[in-house]
Structures are given as C-alpha cells and as structure tokens.
Amino acid sequence: MSELGGGWQDLWLGTATACTDRTAEAAGRAKNRDGSISVTVGSGGQLLGLDLDDRVRDLTGPQLAREILMVMRCAHAHIPAPAH
C-alpha cells in the first residue's frame, strides 16, 4: 500500500509543480501597505498564494477579511496581459 501511496503523491507533486511553473509567469502579486498581507493570483484570477505575518493578529476578523480582499483586487489588477 505504501508503494502505491508514494507513487500517486509523486505524480501529484510533479503535476502541481508543473502547474505552478506554467502559471508563475502570468501571476499578479500585491501586498498591503505594511507588507503584512501578500497575495499572488494566477492568470485566471485563482488564488496561488496568501502570506500573512504576525502583524495581522492585531486586526479583527472583519478587518482582516477586508484587507485580504483589497490586496487580492490589487493582485488581479497586476496580472500581465496575455502575449499574442
């Protein structure tokens, strides 16, 4: 069973890495003013990365949600136009 498990995990990790490599070029990235929230979105707007540092602990839940959404919108605006 462990041999089978290792096989599918290796396949999944390989696929995830290939997918990340393809979308990395067409990603939009943004940070909030103090740099405590960082977002990366793919060319289709999908969330690829969300990094939060400990400073976000000072925010309430609704404040954190608003900040994340604001940074995501900025990241969407920074997605490079597709090359023709």
Side-chain angles (χ1 to χ4, degrees):
M1 183 82 173
S2 64
E3 290 176 11
L4 179 62
W8 75 262
Q9 289 171 339
D10 292 341
L11 178 62
W12 183 83
L13 287 173
T15 302
T17 300
C19 182
T20 300
D21 290 343
R22 282 194 304 267
T23 58
E25 293 177 19
R29 294 177 180 85
K31 292 183 178 186
N32 67 336
R33 285 186 205 113
D34 69 2
S36 62
I37 301 170
S38 176
V39 172
T40 303
V41 295
S43 60
Q46 70 277 23
L47 181 64
L48 298 177
L50 172 62
D51 294 312
L52 308 172
D53 75 21
D54 290 337
R55 290 176 285 178
V56 301
R57 292 181 182 186
D58 295 332
L59 301 173
T60 65
Q63 289 172 326
L64 179 58
R66 279 192 303 273
E67 285 285 316
I68 291 171
L69 289 174
M70 180 194 66
V71 176
M72 284 183 69
R73 288 183 192 111
C74 289
H76 284 130
H78 287 93
I79 297 172
H84 293 298

